Amino acid sequence: MEALRFQVVGEAFKKKPLEVKTPSERPCEYFGKKVFNREKMYKYLPKNIYEKMVNVMDNGARFDREMADAVALGIKQWATDNGVTHYTHWFQPLTEGTAEKHDSFIEHDGKGGMVEEFSGKLLVQQEPDASSFPSGGIRSTFEARGYSAWDPTSPVFIIDDTLCIPTVFISYSGEALDYKVPLLRSLHAVNVAATDVCHYFDPTVKKVTSNLGWEQEYFLVDEGLYAARPDLLLTGRTLMGHDSAKNQQMDDHYFGSIPERVAAFMKELEIVALELGIPCKTRHNEVAPNQFELAPIFEETNLAVDHNMLLMSVMKRVARKHGFRVLLHEKPFAGINGSGKHNNWSLSTDNGVLLHAPGKTPEQNLRFAVFIVETLMGVYRHNGLLKASIMSATNAHRLGANEAPPAIISSFLGKQLSELLDHIEKSDKDNLLVMQGKQGMKLDIPEIPELLIDNTDRNRTSPFAFTGNRFEFRAVGSEANCASAMIALNSAVAEALVEFKKRVDARVKVISSQFDSAEHNATYHAIIEVLREDIKTCKPIRFDGNGYSDEWKAEAERRGLDVETSCPVIFERYLDESSVKMFEGLGVMTRKELEARNEVKWETYTKKIQIEARVLGDLSMNHIIPVATDYQSKLLKNVENMRVVFPAEKADSLSDRNIKIIEEIANRTSSIETMVDELVEARKVANKIESEHQKAIAYHDTVAPMLDTIRRQIDKLELIVDDAYWPLPKYRELLFIR
């Protein structure tokens, strides 16, 4: 082990950047090269079929099974022109990853040979084994049938020699077994609700789209070092490891010069991503050593989620070519920043209006205020659910530390917007809606041009911050499927908008019956009245201060916000009557589907902690303690030799430090052995609990805390055991790319 550690560290120093072959075209020319987008549809489909497909994608028209064969023929021709031999239905089960089963195009030709075929039936539908994916009890081994069905709004794409068809995944009895089905339902719900509210201001609006721009943070480590860390290999994070003397405290990595090997990786990743239609825009060093970020231009939410899931898969493949492993765990290293996936979310109309952006007229700003406040209403009413949507065993390590938002959902609006809402709430006049856009700021340096200052600052401790024309949901974890957060957020906002419209319409009738006024004025006054009520109601969710402070935790509890920190308990919010009523009322998920998903969440939490406990126990007993006691034996031999060479008093004096180390090693290894035994017993007790819910709580309350206790002892041993003996690559070796 000693030789292995120094060998892999030495190899990391020797690695040179891999030469990346750059396409001859500009990025805009090869963007979408491997995607069956509208350009390819126009080329490979008959005109009438192309027009029907556009209607399906743009207007939600029903996909006609009779046109499936024509679409399949065109897709197959494009695919074979690009060397494709196989196809797969690509879907997102409840594993946080993606799934695919590859089939070739070949079929018997009836003459002893083979022919390549791809029918509309194969394009539209397949039958994966539903019992082999997490279902929360909806599917059993003897009830294995499930269906994947093509989602035409997300274009097919090519990976290597395989045609990938984005699909939904449902059970034989119709329940959703994936993230895409409820996501599409939530997008439909918010579209209908937001369009109805938009009609107060612009009757020509036909559609409202939910947009998402994710920011993907990740770590890179050398592949050899990764392979020498069983904890990284099996759990995605380091279960032990003392701080490096230098980590992020100098703030020199953030936005710093990108290391040469990393730049080569990023370059190839962007080429592959752009060919797959993922609109990569930004790349940079993040705060922690070896931490980086990639962000695209925003897209329609369903497509953005697909692209993020695809990118995470592509990242891993490309990284290995460059001698790296990608770490998407939210907290792979203790003591430094974790990784998030900030979800920049907004709503826009089919005529190009951003509904969370201020306008130029009082009426436009009233619309802006309505959508801001009703978004806050949804977040306020379901703040516990939104926390549950981003919570996991891995993200729990990140929240509330090192720039990550706390595990309390609140919204930062900034001074200007807060003042505007306060003004609407308190003013007795209706026509005082003024929201400034970017303002000029002149510096006292002639060479520097005038800067445009946004209407909000940034608050890094806010989980749900307004950033000028959108909200940034910062609490989402780096390895999570964005769909989980987007399902909850779009549903919460849709419900708030539906309730808003009901109350406004009811108020219009009352005002119209009391006053002889035009309908528009009655509507306008009704909107103002309901808006003022909602500004007061949702005020507890607004917080512009320091989300890390103890004072805020106490204040949040006083405001009635969800301050629970136990991951398994937080999941219970999905089954609150308010959550079930919202999801069922909007047609997003049934109670049965919600109960099943929670069973999966609790089981997944238990298994992740269980794996970590087993790995830590193995490393402790089979790696750390043997090495520590071996070093201890060397020190004992040294003390023994001292007493042979020197007089007793002199020998004791010279051996004093070694004796202290020997004693400390004995105490710490004994403690580790005892705690590992206790850890095993705690697991045994928890494993006997039949309820997945209660088992997860037991693992959280009894097993998980022991991991940190054992780690502290091991990390202290790392400081006193001879560096040449220590078996695992240390933080100082893992965190700095050579």
Side-chain angles (χ1 to χ4, degrees):
M1 182 62 73
E2 171 190 339
L4 174 62
R5 174 179 161 227
F6 286 104
Q7 179 183 344
V8 295
V9 172
E11 288 299 318
F13 273 102
K14 297 176 187 176
K15 286 179 179 174
K16 301 293 182 184
L18 185 70
E19 185 177 347
V20 179
K21 185 177 180 181
T22 306
S24 57
E25 311 101 316
R26 300 293 298 167
C28 59
E29 295 173 312
Y30 61 80
F31 177 76
K33 178 180 178 181
K34 296 186 177 180
V35 180
F36 195 68
N37 53 23
R38 295 184 190 221
E39 177 189 356
K40 315 295 193 323
M41 288 181 190
Y42 188 80
K43 178 179 178 181
Y44 284 91
L45 299 181
K47 183 179 179 182
N48 66 317
I49 300 297
Y50 168 77
E51 290 173 350
K52 287 184 178 181
M53 280 299 301
V54 170
N55 193 29
V56 169
M57 294 185 295
D58 288 352
N59 303 316
R62 185 169 294 278
F63 183 79
D64 185 353
R65 276 295 191 112
E66 294 180 1
M67 64 187 258
D69 283 334
V71 175
L73 183 64
I75 290 177
K76 176 182 171 291
Q77 185 60 56
W78 168 72
T80 53
D81 286 349
N82 285 273
V84 169
T85 58
H86 289 67
Y87 66 94
T88 182
H89 275 202
W90 182 83
F91 56 97
Q92 300 166 30
L94 303 179
T95 59
E96 299 295 333
T98 58
E100 52 196 68
K101 174 176 70 75
H102 297 203
D103 289 306
S104 71
F105 288 136
I106 62 170
E107 298 286 349
H108 285 294
D109 65 358
K111 304 173 184 177
M114 306 296 284
V115 63
E116 290 192 347
E117 290 185 351
F118 184 60
S119 66
K121 179 181 178 181
L122 296 176
L123 167 66
V124 171
Q125 179 178 318
Q126 276 194 328
E127 186 189 329
D129 182 351
S131 70
S132 300
F133 292 100
S135 69
I138 287 179
R139 297 277 84 191
S140 301
T141 302
F142 64 91
E143 299 172 314
R145 196 179 298 277
Y147 298 107
S148 56
W150 181 33
D151 170 17
T153 63
S154 184
V156 300
F157 56 91
I158 294 171
I159 296 286
D160 296 330
D161 65 350
T162 303
L163 178 72
C164 299
I165 306 163
T167 63
V168 301
F169 183 41
I170 61 174
S171 73
Y172 178 71
S173 46
E175 293 89 1
L177 297 176
D178 68 347
Y179 283 101
K180 185 179 275 279
V181 168
L183 175 64
L184 291 173
R185 292 170 179 166
S186 72
L187 296 177
H188 174 73
V190 79
N191 168 31
V192 172
T195 300
D196 285 346
V197 172
C198 280
H199 287 165
Y200 288 136
F201 309 96
D202 182 357
T204 67
V205 172
K206 297 178 181 178
K207 181 180 180 181
V208 171
T209 300
S210 166
N211 307 302
L212 171 62
W214 41 263
E215 302 169 20
Q216 181 68 60
E217 295 177 336
Y218 60 96
F219 281 85
L220 292 175
V221 296
D222 281 293
E223 189 162 25
L225 299 176
Y226 173 88
R229 290 286 309 219
D231 49 354
L232 273 181
L233 185 68
L234 297 175
T235 73
R237 75 179 181 109
T238 52
L239 299 176
M240 60 190 72
H242 199 278
D243 287 349
S244 171
K246 179 184 184 296
N247 47 49
Q248 68 183 48
Q249 67 266 47
M250 297 301 294
D251 299 321
D252 55 345
H253 191 258
Y254 191 50
F255 281 20
S257 177
I258 300 172
E260 190 177 4
R261 285 179 57 209
V262 177
F265 155 74
M266 288 179 168
K267 182 177 180 180
E268 181 168 1
L269 176 61
E270 286 187 4
I271 292 170
V272 174
L274 289 168
E275 287 182 339
L276 289 167
I278 305 172
C280 298
K281 176 73 172 177
T282 302
R283 64 188 185 200
H284 64 82
N285 288 5
E286 257 299 333
V287 174
N290 278 21
Q291 188 185 32
F292 308 94
E293 181 179 295
L294 181 151
I297 301 170
F298 75 91
E299 302 176 282
E300 186 276 324
T301 295
N302 179 41
L303 184 58
V305 169
D306 281 0
H307 279 166
N308 182 248
M309 298 303 293
L310 177 58
L311 180 89
M312 289 193 289
S313 175
V314 169
M315 287 174 74
K316 295 173 183 177
R317 297 171 63 227
V318 174
R320 295 197 69 174
K321 289 178 60 177
H322 291 261
F324 292 125
R325 285 296 188 120
V326 171
L327 303 182
L328 293 173
H329 192 290
E330 283 80 4
K331 198 74 170 180
F333 303 103
I336 61 175
N337 275 24
S339 295
K341 179 150 47 196
H342 307 156
N343 280 208
N344 294 281
W345 171 86
S346 64
L347 297 174
S348 61
T349 67
D350 57 314
N351 53 14
V353 174
L354 278 173
L355 296 176
H356 291 109
K360 296 180 179 179
T361 67
E363 186 175 65
Q364 290 172 347
N365 281 327
L366 178 58
R367 179 188 61 206
F368 162 71
V370 165
F371 277 92
I372 289 290
V373 172
E374 295 315 308
T375 296
L376 294 177
M377 282 291 288
V379 174
Y380 170 59
R381 286 174 176 160
H382 297 285
N383 68 94
L385 173 65
L386 286 171
K387 180 162 62 175
S389 76
I390 55 87
M391 185 55 72
S392 66
T394 54
N395 203 23
H397 292 288
R398 161 183 167 259
L399 295 178
N402 298 93
E403 279 203 358
I408 301 171
I409 299 298
S410 65
S411 184
F412 166 84
L413 299 182
K415 183 174 182 289
Q416 189 179 352
L417 182 52
S418 293
E419 289 179 350
L420 174 67
L421 297 188
D422 291 341
H423 184 61
I424 296 172
E425 176 192 350
K426 296 171 184 176
S427 175
D428 58 355
K429 297 180 181 179
D430 290 340
N431 198 21
L432 289 173
L433 288 164
V434 180
M435 181 71 183
Q436 295 178 347
K438 292 189 177 183
Q439 305 172 57
M441 174 188 282
K442 291 185 178 179
L443 301 180
D444 242 351
I445 307 172
E447 293 82 3
I448 303 298
E450 181 180 13
L451 303 179
L452 290 178
I453 306 304
D454 289 283
N455 52 37
T456 68
D457 199 349
R458 287 190 182 272
N459 186 328
R460 293 316 211 181
T461 69
S462 178
F464 193 74
F466 180 68
T467 58
N469 57 14
R470 62 190 182 278
F471 283 91
E472 184 179 19
F473 198 1
R474 295 178 51 81
V476 183
S478 57
E479 72 174 0
N481 188 322
C482 298
S484 179
M486 292 296 100
I487 292 166
L489 177 58
N490 282 296
S491 299
V493 174
E495 181 192 55
L497 290 169
V498 168
E499 291 300 315
F500 174 81
K501 187 173 189 304
K502 286 181 181 177
R503 290 158 57 217
V504 168
D505 289 349
R507 200 73 54 91
V508 168
K509 291 180 180 179
V510 172
I511 294 174
S512 299
S513 66
Q514 292 176 344
F515 302 98
D516 183 18
S517 59
E519 182 181 347
H520 177 74
N521 286 335
T523 301
Y524 179 82
H525 286 289
I527 290 172
I528 290 290
E529 287 181 12
V530 175
L531 185 63
R532 283 176 174 156
E533 292 172 2
D534 288 353
I535 290 173
K536 294 176 183 178
T537 300
C538 70
K539 188 170 284 188
I541 204 69
R542 290 162 49 188
F543 178 66
D544 289 0
N546 179 10
Y548 290 162
S549 69
D550 291 334
E551 291 80 7
W552 166 235
K553 295 174 185 176
E555 171 66 14
E557 188 169 13
R558 187 188 67 77
R559 293 186 185 191
L561 302 181
D562 192 310
V563 297
E564 180 60 61
T565 57
S566 168
C567 187
V569 174
I570 289 169
F571 290 151
E572 296 172 14
R573 300 289 72 77
Y574 272 99
L575 300 179
D576 287 347
E577 282 306 311
S578 59
S579 299
V580 175
K581 179 183 177 183
M582 176 189 74
F583 283 127
E584 289 196 326
L586 295 171
V588 174
M589 282 186 281
T590 65
R591 183 185 294 272
K592 183 178 180 181
E593 288 172 325
L594 289 166
E595 289 172 346
R597 281 161 194 268
N598 261 32
E599 287 293 307
V600 173
K601 288 177 180 292
W602 286 318
E603 185 179 3
T604 300
Y605 178 87
T606 296
K607 287 179 177 177
K608 287 191 174 183
I609 304 301
Q610 188 179 68
I611 291 170
E612 290 188 350
R614 295 177 67 180
V615 170
L616 183 59
D618 170 55
L619 288 176
S620 299
M621 303 305 294
N622 297 315
H623 291 69
I624 303 305
I625 289 180
V627 165
T629 53
D630 189 30
Y631 179 58
Q632 183 185 49
S633 297
K634 179 183 177 181
L635 295 179
L636 284 167
K637 187 66 175 176
N638 177 270
V639 171
E640 181 182 334
N641 291 340
M642 285 284 190
R643 287 174 176 167
V644 171
V645 175
F646 298 103
E649 187 175 340
K650 179 72 170 175
D652 288 345
S653 175
L654 293 173
S655 303
D656 184 57
R657 180 177 180 277
N658 283 353
I659 291 172
K660 289 180 179 178
I661 295 175
I662 290 167
E663 184 178 3
E664 183 174 355
I665 290 174
N667 290 336
R668 294 196 184 281
T669 54
S670 176
S671 295
I672 292 170
E673 288 176 332
T674 300
M675 288 187 289
V676 168
D677 288 342
E678 292 172 353
L679 180 66
V680 172
E681 287 304 312
R683 280 174 37 219
K684 288 180 179 178
V685 171
N687 289 340
K688 292 178 181 178
I689 300 173
E690 291 188 8
S691 164
E692 290 295 345
H693 184 191
Q694 294 304 316
K695 186 187 295 184
I697 290 174
Y699 262 86
H700 175 274
D701 293 349
T702 63
V703 177
M706 293 182 180
L707 304 183
D708 292 332
T709 306
I710 295 172
R711 176 184 186 137
R712 283 193 288 272
Q713 295 292 335
I714 294 174
D715 289 355
K716 291 295 184 181
L717 281 178
E718 183 183 320
L719 292 179
I720 61 175
V721 171
D722 188 334
D723 186 60
Y725 277 70
W726 198 252
L728 305 176
K730 299 183 177 182
Y731 271 24
R732 67 168 186 260
E733 296 154 355
L734 290 165
L735 285 172
F736 298 94
I737 289 175
R738 282 78 181 178

